[in-house]
């Protein structure tokens, strides 16, 4: 079962620092961030996104049967943390430029023929997420039995103190919030998120909590993250 931790990150600067911290700490085995083709299309006048938008347009010309509204994984591309942060800056920085990108995103999504997502920003059901999600943020931590006694001492001690039952060989998966059209279009009025940024994690609670607290500290957030065990 996955549990969520909320982070005191609402400004663009805080979110960027947090994303980079989550992707660079010593417990992370793999980072997998992805961007939907409609986002590349909307931001096609930016140098970081133009080649991807052009490549996808060429693919559509070649593959007449490509179902652009489907859940085909190839409709999302791998992205760096820098590219994800550039998406957030483009849509969440108030001003005329952001409004132009939002209109372009609406137009790209309309091409799919899918009904628009109608949930309030950051209020989508995790059990029935909207389609398409436009930004996917995923991390994988090392399983407990691959942690080094010295390099990863902090998490190992946290788990020992908690006395949790641990599946030592299972990798630990983490996911960012659902980021569909409502989040990119209306999720940050005035340049700040409507809600605290949150990340889901499975695996031993004490392991994830230790990692998240360390990431929040590296990101210089004002408060430590709040997890299930912190709620009265």
């Amino acid at each position: 079962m996955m549990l969520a931790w909320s982070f005191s990150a609402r400004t663009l600067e805080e979110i960027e620092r947090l994303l980079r911290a989550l992707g660079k700490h010593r417990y992370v085995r793999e980072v997998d961030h992805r961007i939907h083709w409609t986002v590349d299309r909307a931001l096609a006048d930016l140098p970081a996104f133009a080649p991807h938008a052009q490549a996808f347009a060429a693919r559509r010309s070649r593959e007449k049967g490509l179902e652009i509204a489907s859940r085909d994984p190839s409709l999302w591309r791998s992205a760096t943390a820098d590219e994800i942060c550039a998406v957030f800056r483009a849509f969440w920085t108030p001003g005329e430029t952001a409004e132009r990108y939002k209109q372009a995103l609406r137009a790209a999504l309309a091409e799919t023929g899918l009904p628009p997502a109608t949930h309030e920003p950051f209020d989508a059901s995790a059990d029935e997420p909207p389609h398409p999600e436009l930004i996917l943020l995923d991390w994988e931590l090392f399983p407990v039995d691959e942690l080094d006694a010295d390099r990863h001492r902090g998490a190992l001690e946290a788990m020992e103190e908690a006395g949790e039952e641990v599946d030592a060989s299972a990798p630990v998966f983490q996911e960012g919030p659902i980021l569909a059209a409502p989040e990119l279009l209306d999720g940050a009025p005035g340049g700040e998120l409507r809600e605290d940024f949150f990340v889901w994690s499975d695996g031993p609670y004490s392991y994830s909590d230790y990692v998240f607290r360390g990431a929040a500290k590296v990101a210089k957030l004002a408060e430590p993250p709040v997890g299930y065990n912190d709620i009265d």
Side-chain angles (χ1 to χ4, degrees), residues 162-183:
E164 292 180 83
E165 281 191 25
V166 172
D167 182 350
S169 62
V172 176
F173 296 104
Q174 299 179 337
E175 300 176 0
I178 290 172
L179 295 165
E183 285 72 31

Side-chain angles (χ1 to χ4, degrees), residues 12-57:
L12 282 167
E13 292 77 12
E14 290 167 341
I15 294 164
E16 289 184 15
R17 294 198 304 266
L18 177 60
L19 282 180
R20 292 192 170 94
L22 287 169
K24 292 183 176 179
H25 60 76
R26 62 187 180 276
Y27 295 91
V28 70
R29 168 189 266 177
E30 183 179 0
V31 178
D32 184 15
H33 298 336
R34 297 189 175 271
I35 291 177
H36 193 253
W37 72 267
T38 55
V39 175
D40 282 328
R41 171 75 170 272
L43 303 182
D45 65 348
L46 295 176
F49 301 91
H52 301 289
Q54 292 165 4
F56 190 79

Side-chain angles (χ1 to χ4, degrees), residues 55-130:
F56 190 79
R59 180 187 174 193
R60 289 181 68 181
S61 296
R62 293 192 310 271
E63 301 179 29
K64 301 303 183 182
L66 182 63
E67 297 182 4
I68 61 171
S70 72
R71 299 179 186 272
D72 180 345
S74 70
L75 299 179
W76 288 259
R77 67 168 177 88
S78 181
T80 66
D82 286 343
E83 289 174 306
I84 298 297
C85 291
V87 172
F88 292 161
R89 287 195 298 271
F91 287 103
W92 291 345
T93 300
E96 293 182 3
T97 302
E99 292 306 313
R100 176 162 52 85
Y101 291 141
K102 291 176 183 181
Q103 284 298 106
L105 179 60
R106 292 186 184 99
L109 287 168
E111 285 186 37
T112 68
L114 291 167
T118 57
H119 64 271
E120 290 297 312
F122 302 102
D123 197 32
S125 169
D127 295 326
E128 296 183 9

